[in-house]
Amino acid sequence: MTWWMYVVLPLAGVGAGLVGSVAGLASLISYPVLLAFGLPPVTANVTNSVSLVFASAGSVAGSRPELTGQGPRLRWLALAAVAGGGTGSALLLLAPAETFEFVVPWLIAGASLAILLPRQAADAEPRRRHGWMLAGGVALVGVYGGYFGAAAGIVLLALLLAMTPDSFARGSAAKNVLLGVANAVAAGAFALFGPVHWLAVLPLGAGLFVGGRLGPAVIRKSPPAALRGIIAALGLGLAVHLGWQAYR
């Protein structure tokens, strides 16, 4: 890595951490940046997953007011997230790189479209807790988060808002905890068995922590609708670009 990459990666990390904390789409910024530096798709993905641990740490640190009283529920949901994250990371490590190159454009396109789904009803009347259904959903999102993870935060947030009485801010805080747990499990597997580019993890992770720490404050003060629209457009553009590269 050249010196200017140590300038670009922290800045990209701040943006990705902020977007990830608010909208659940950190990978739509951090992953393409790693690809732009010449990392192969699987190497970029596992490096990104390890770096995202810092974003989760920052988001959780910034969400402490919203996490008050959620400890008992989050403890058992975290077990589902651990199971899902471990399964997703195993799938990625076992799948050939060529398969990942063909799958990732579809994952990004789906993530970008998912962010456009209306969330107006998220803060409406309280919803009944659904116990095992919620845990199963968290596990499935953990599998996806461990494998790639783009927009996993959006899917998990919608699940939490549909099956709990939480507000948008409290649901987002819970989402940050559970995705952080799932991603930490995947990152541990990648650190032991994956082709992690550690020289990129440190500067990117530092930026991700700062961006993740700022995200909860943004959620408290402004609706993320405009941000979701911008990221969706950029994500679809990225999906088309990567799809053209993979299928040409």
Side-chain angles (χ1 to χ4, degrees), residues 70-177:
Q70 297 203 59
R73 183 183 64 195
L74 288 177
R75 277 193 287 272
W76 67 267
L77 287 179
L79 297 177
V82 166
T87 302
S89 61
L91 289 174
L92 177 61
L93 291 173
L94 293 173
E98 293 77 11
T99 300
F100 184 76
E101 291 176 14
F102 286 105
V103 170
V104 68
W106 299 101
L107 294 178
I108 294 178
S112 302
L113 292 174
I115 200 174
L116 295 175
L117 295 175
R119 307 292 177 190
Q120 289 87 347
D123 297 314
E125 60 190 47
R127 292 161 172 80
R128 179 171 56 90
R129 290 178 171 86
H130 292 273
W132 292 107
M133 288 179 60
L134 178 58
V138 169
L140 289 176
V141 177
V143 172
Y144 173 56
Y147 185 76
F148 183 64
I154 295 174
V155 177
L156 183 55
L157 178 59
L159 184 70
L160 290 167
L161 294 178
M163 294 188 175
T164 74
D166 289 343
S167 66
F168 185 93
R170 285 176 61 82
S172 180
K175 172 261 297 180
N176 290 332
V177 172

Side-chain angles (χ1 to χ4, degrees), residues 4-94:
W4 59 271
M5 294 182 183
Y6 290 97
V7 176
V8 174
L9 281 176
L11 294 176
V14 171
L18 179 59
V19 168
S21 183
V22 173
L25 286 169
S27 292
L28 292 186
I29 295 177
S30 54
Y31 176 71
V33 168
L34 292 171
L35 287 179
F37 287 158
L39 273 63
V42 172
T43 301
N45 188 48
V46 298
T47 301
N48 182 58
S49 294
V50 173
S51 301
L52 286 175
V53 172
F54 295 92
S56 298
S59 297
V60 171
S63 300
R64 281 178 290 184
E66 289 79 16
L67 289 173
T68 301
Q70 297 203 59
R73 183 183 64 195
L74 288 177
R75 277 193 287 272
W76 67 267
L77 287 179
L79 297 177
V82 166
T87 302
S89 61
L91 289 174
L92 177 61
L93 291 173
L94 293 173

Side-chain angles (χ1 to χ4, degrees), residues 9-10 13 50-52 54-55 200-210:
L9 281 176
V50 173
S51 301
L52 286 175
F54 295 92
V201 168
L202 295 178
L204 181 61
L208 283 165
F209 180 86
V210 173

